[in-house]
Amino acid sequence: MTIPALRLGTAWARLCGLMDEAAESFVRTSFSSVVRDNWDMAVGLMDSAGRQVAQSSRSVPSFVGTMPRTLAVMLRRYPPASLVPGDVLISNDGYHGTGHLNDITMVKPLFRDGRIAAWIGSTFHCTDIGGAPSVEARDAWEEGLTIPVAKMLRAGVENEDVVAFLEANLRMPDEALGDIRAQLAMYDQAAPRLFRILDEEGLDGLDPLAAEIFARSERAMRGAIAAVPDGEVTDEVTADGFEHPVTIRLRLAIRGDGITLDFSGTDPQIARPVNSPLNFTRAYSNYAVKCAFDAATPNNDGSFRPITLIAPEGSIVNPRRPAPVWGRHLTGHYLPMLVLAALGRLIPDRVIAESGSPLWNVYFTGERPDGRRYTRMFFMNGGHGAAASHDGPSCLSFPSNVATQPVEQFENAVPMLMTEKALIPGSGGDGAQRGGLGQRISFNVVGDRPVTATYRHERVQHPPRGLLGGTAGRGGRDLVNGKPVPAKARIVLNPGDTITFETPGGGGFGDPRDRGAADRARDAAEGYVE
């Protein structure tokens, strides 16, 4: 079936709009601040075969990449023929999902005329998933509750068994179940609108439209890759790690209209929670290629067909069970920057220097005066890497795209006061274009009970690199009452204590001697340099 270009464009845009509308519905009815304020979630639409067609525009990139692969694993347990209208599948298995237990994925088959015509799915971060997530975890079983592939709804009826084990294992089950039920309502809202769009566009189901989208997207990506001369480059990046640094190695090869990302030679997995399961590794590696070669086309299955990924099993970018994975982003977030650094030698005008990530965050847990427990997470972004055409923005999340929670909302939820939130002058790398600045954030315990802070931060020993002559950004620091503390730790804060986080600055781009005098004067006038 050939779909006229105008009809294709209109229908495609409407599907993307539908996913945005669904995401807004989820966010507005969610119970948790991590969904409501941080948008640590994704909503996606897949064709009858489970291939990604469209997603909400603010979806977390890794979730977009992992959702279809999670569905494929779900269907091994529940083949399509075994499903009925109203069923909803659920799992948070880190090795089959987004890489760690805190992200729960659900998918619902959408039936029409007695057959599965499409799938709608969503993934969200659940701040507490039971257990005792810790930087000291030595295997995946220490990291919390694993939800095996199960039915959250059976023919439209909530599965009491799943609800029971969530209530028995989570510290804040009402919040998690509230987010789950918000997604179930979102599915019911989106399904009839999907079929109405197809009918109004005169399309015989989603599959013919999806096939055309995949084909055009693949052609666009292959054309962009083919326009770059064949070549092979290698690069490596050093992560702080734990007792010793960890090295991730990449060989990037362009041959014709295809690209290969080969992580052979990367360090082996370790018995600490920084291993990046293959799903997460693939999602963020593909994301970097998409950004560099075909950023304008909405993500879908066709976009990633020209990419071949090699990640040796047993390495830190493809660990074997039961390696701990809670902080898998501490490895996985390096991958887009490593890919872009390698591509910088081939297409320097389309890449950025390294950013002040892997993403920084902190978990605060404690007990309220009435005895109720709380767990709250706060995201903190470092400086963005500079590009050939512009300075890097300050405090911008990359490669994840989570938002920052309003200070007042955070302070209303926990007995803590944020006493400082400021840019750090001089923390961005120098260059023809400067890297974005990191930030300093301080939290003071104002309640009368201890608060436990759990965090795991990178770019302390090995700051974000500059690119093509740009200098590195400043590394990060963690302090309690003004004294440095380890970058990966669980610390008990007593009433009156202050914990401070200084996020890394982004790397600079190009030779610093090429930065103009007017730009230098503006840097000084605006306080960007010390």
Side-chain angles (χ1 to χ4, degrees), residues 171 174 187 296 299 302 316-317 338 361 390 397 406 417 477 524:
R171 296 171 182 85
D174 289 347
Y187 300 158
N299 289 315
I316 202 168
V317 295
L338 182 55
N361 58 28
H390 59 269
S397 180
L417 179 69
R477 291 200 306 169

Side-chain angles (χ1 to χ4, degrees), residues 187-460:
Y187 300 158
D188 289 342
Q189 179 189 61
R193 298 183 184 189
L194 166 66
F195 294 126
R196 187 179 70 199
I197 288 172
L198 297 176
D199 289 342
E200 290 176 353
E201 296 297 333
L203 296 169
D204 183 22
L206 180 63
D207 284 357
L209 175 61
E212 188 70 19
I213 289 172
F214 299 155
R216 288 174 177 260
S217 298
E218 182 177 358
R219 286 199 299 271
M221 178 64 87
R222 290 194 181 280
I225 294 172
V228 177
D230 285 1
E232 181 175 309
V233 291
T234 61
D235 199 3
E236 64 181 54
V237 65
T238 301
D240 294 348
F242 281 83
E243 290 85 0
H244 54 79
V246 174
T247 300
I248 306 168
R249 296 182 173 87
L250 170 67
R251 180 181 65 84
L252 184 152
I254 294 177
R255 296 286 184 270
D257 62 359
I259 185 168
T260 298
L261 308 176
D262 185 352
F263 291 101
S264 298
T266 292
D267 283 0
Q269 67 188 59
I270 63 175
R272 295 299 186 102
V274 298
N275 301 287
S276 175
L278 183 59
N279 268 6
F280 196 75
T281 291
R282 187 185 303 277
Y284 268 126
S285 300
N286 287 353
Y287 171 62
V289 176
K290 184 71 167 65
C291 288
F293 286 97
D294 187 27
T297 304
N299 289 315
N300 63 81
D301 184 82
S303 301
F304 305 117
R305 291 174 180 175
I307 306 171
T308 299
L309 184 135
I310 301 170
E313 187 177 12
S315 69
I316 202 168
V317 295
N318 184 13
R320 298 185 182 95
R321 278 186 203 270
V325 294
W326 177 49
R328 87 288 193 229
H329 68 286
L330 299 184
T331 295
H333 280 188
Y334 277 104
L335 304 181
M337 290 177 278
L338 182 55
V339 171
L340 293 176
L343 285 172
R345 300 176 212 168
L346 304 174
I347 45 174
D349 58 323
R350 302 188 210 170
V351 301
I352 61 172
E354 292 185 347
S355 296
S357 55
L359 181 67
W360 279 38
N361 58 28
V362 57
Y363 288 80
F364 291 115
T365 60
E367 187 177 275
R368 295 186 174 90
D370 61 5
R372 290 182 299 135
R373 302 287 302 176
Y374 65 82
T375 299
R376 284 291 180 271
M377 182 170 60
F378 195 90
F379 288 110
M380 301 163 286
N381 299 315
H384 206 272
S389 60
H390 59 269
D391 291 346
S394 298
C395 309
L396 181 65
S397 180
F398 181 84
S400 179
N401 61 343
V402 294
T404 301
Q405 182 180 3
V407 172
E408 296 79 7
Q409 296 244 10
F410 171 80
E411 292 176 336
N412 189 51
V414 296
M416 304 191 78
L417 179 69
M418 191 176 294
T419 58
E420 182 181 22
K421 193 174 192 291
L423 296 176
I424 304 174
S427 56
D430 199 3
Q433 306 293 344
R434 294 192 61 87
L437 302 183
Q439 61 181 317
R440 181 184 299 108
I441 304 179
S442 295
F443 302 88
N444 179 253
V445 181
V446 296
D448 59 1
R449 304 186 182 199
V451 175
T452 298
T454 304
Y455 56 91
R456 60 271 204 254
H457 296 154
E458 279 282 332
R459 301 289 198 184
V460 174

Side-chain angles (χ1 to χ4, degrees), residues 122-202:
S122 52
T123 302
F124 78 105
H125 186 98
C126 186
T127 303
D128 171 61
I129 199 64
S134 166
V135 296
E136 298 295 334
R138 301 305 172 116
D139 61 47
W141 290 298
E142 295 185 41
E143 299 184 310
L145 171 70
T146 296
I147 306 170
V149 176
K151 289 187 179 182
M152 185 66 216
L153 294 187
R154 294 170 173 156
V157 179
E158 203 167 81
N159 186 340
E160 294 180 355
D161 294 332
V162 174
V163 173
F165 68 64
L166 289 174
E167 290 178 333
N169 284 277
L170 273 57
R171 296 171 182 85
M172 300 182 297
D174 289 347
E175 183 174 284
L177 287 168
D179 282 351
I180 286 172
R181 289 162 180 155
Q183 291 167 89
L184 298 176
M186 170 186 69
Y187 300 158
D188 289 342
Q189 179 189 61
R193 298 183 184 189
L194 166 66
F195 294 126
R196 187 179 70 199
I197 288 172
L198 297 176
D199 289 342
E200 290 176 353
E201 296 297 333

Side-chain angles (χ1 to χ4, degrees), residues 75-108:
L75 295 181
R76 296 177 199 163
R77 173 79 187 275
Y78 294 103
S82 70
L83 300 174
V84 299
D87 283 350
V88 175
L89 304 178
I90 185 172
S91 180
N92 74 329
D93 188 314
Y95 281 82
H96 296 154
T98 74
H100 70 179
L101 298 176
N102 291 84
D103 297 326
I104 298 176
T105 296
M106 298 197 304
V107 184
K108 179 178 183 176

